[in-house]
Amino acid sequence: MNTSAKLSRRNVGGIRSLLLCLCLLSLCLLGPLGTFAKAQNSVVLVGAGSSVPAPLYNRWTQEYGKRSSAIQMRYLPVGTSEGIKQISHSAGDFGAGESQLTEKERKEGNLIELPVVLIGIVPVYNLPGVHHELRLSGDVLAQIFLGDVKMWNAGQIAKLNPDVELPSLPIQVINRPAGKGSNYVFSEFLSKVSSKFRNQIGVTPSPKWPVGEPAERSSDMADKVKNTPGSIGYVEYQYAVKNNIAHAAVLNPAGKFVRASTESIAAACQAAEAPRWSNFSASLTNAPGADSFPITSFTWIYLRTPASDSARAVALEDLLDWVYTDGQQFAVQEGYSALPTPMLTAVRKKAKSLQ
């Protein structure tokens, strides 16, 4: 890429960030009805971040808004990295995503992450004529996304699926572009089980994928896999369920192939967090336990500490209290796994201590 093209891309990125900042600002000032009069009588809390929990935040926007017109919420699905960037720059009231904050982000942005629900990233695929559930290991997934395994009937896949008649069909890899939380979780898991993947790609929300075509949002990933024969991708569990997309059982550290479910996702959290339930930024990928789904993660809310505006701080405290009580039932209804009760108690206590 030449210098002018690089500068052009940087300019586009800068413009996008500026437009997002303006959008966040307008939502904060104008409120849900777009009028200054409405803003005088209510606080509109605005968050931005990952599309992984976007359906949940959309549901929370509706349900939380029914409580009182005095406090409302809006959420913009712009990607985990962009959400962290915006909250670090004091744009909006919170960020959301699946990337663990770095020490630099915590220190320079005065940020903290709190888990809100559990998520599972599932390998989804489209294989016409194959009605058996596939089994895949982390090592084989790494080989597929590195471009080393190119056909569905390759020996590495066939060995894991001896009872499945695999087609002689090229694998169409679909991945996510830079800045995505699902990239972080998926690459973290693959880095734990494959030294080649760890050395070549590493743990990052912005992998330099050697093969595949990108899908911008989680919903785009679901659509592309569903409509592309021979494809494989990865998406949050509830997107796969709601779109009726086949997803593979994945080999966990106990040697079992585990299919994602609210129970197996919760089992991974139990194995990693019990009995202390206080490591709110813990990695849940490749957790021990026979029933643990190995590509499990928290989705976090990123907060500035302390909040700069007292009125908005009070409103945010109210929102967080609701998220960790009534809000959890809507997470389950939307297909996510609620935080275990001991962790909810610990997180609520931590959230209150921030105010």
Side-chain angles (χ1 to χ4, degrees), residues 43-202:
V43 175
V44 183
L45 297 170
V46 180
S50 174
S51 64
V52 167
L56 176 58
Y57 278 97
N58 290 339
R59 179 70 183 277
W60 279 347
T61 294
Q62 298 170 14
E63 301 297 339
Y64 183 70
K66 294 176 182 178
R67 297 169 70 251
S68 170
S69 61
I71 309 174
Q72 299 287 306
M73 180 181 74
R74 296 293 179 267
Y75 184 75
L76 301 174
V78 296
T80 293
S81 293
E82 186 65 30
I84 293 173
K85 178 180 177 182
Q86 295 305 319
I87 191 64
S88 297
H89 294 166
S90 299
D93 300 286
F94 64 89
E98 295 73 47
S99 291
Q100 293 172 304
L101 293 174
T102 65
E103 287 304 316
K104 181 178 180 181
E105 288 168 338
R106 291 190 183 98
K107 183 178 180 180
E108 294 184 357
N110 294 317
L111 299 183
I112 187 173
E113 70 259 67
L114 296 177
V116 289
V117 293
L118 301 170
I119 60 108
I121 300 298
V122 297
V124 287
Y125 59 91
N126 181 341
L127 276 182
V130 175
H131 304 295
H132 288 80
E133 175 189 277
L134 289 187
R135 293 179 167 189
L136 294 171
S137 65
D139 182 62
V140 169
L141 282 167
Q143 292 182 62
I144 290 172
F145 282 86
L146 288 173
D148 296 335
V149 171
K150 304 178 185 297
M151 298 293 293
W152 276 110
N153 62 346
Q156 296 93 325
I157 302 175
K159 184 178 180 180
L160 300 177
N161 299 275
D163 299 325
V164 180
E165 187 174 343
L166 296 165
S168 178
L169 189 67
I171 298 175
Q172 305 293 327
V173 173
I174 301 175
N175 50 44
R176 300 294 305 282
K180 307 302 181 182
S182 55
N183 277 340
Y184 186 94
V185 178
F186 194 53
S187 68
E188 183 184 60
F189 168 66
L190 296 183
S191 291
K192 286 182 178 181
V193 298
S194 166
S195 59
K196 183 175 180 180
F197 188 93
R198 181 171 63 252
N199 293 332
Q200 187 170 331
I201 304 293

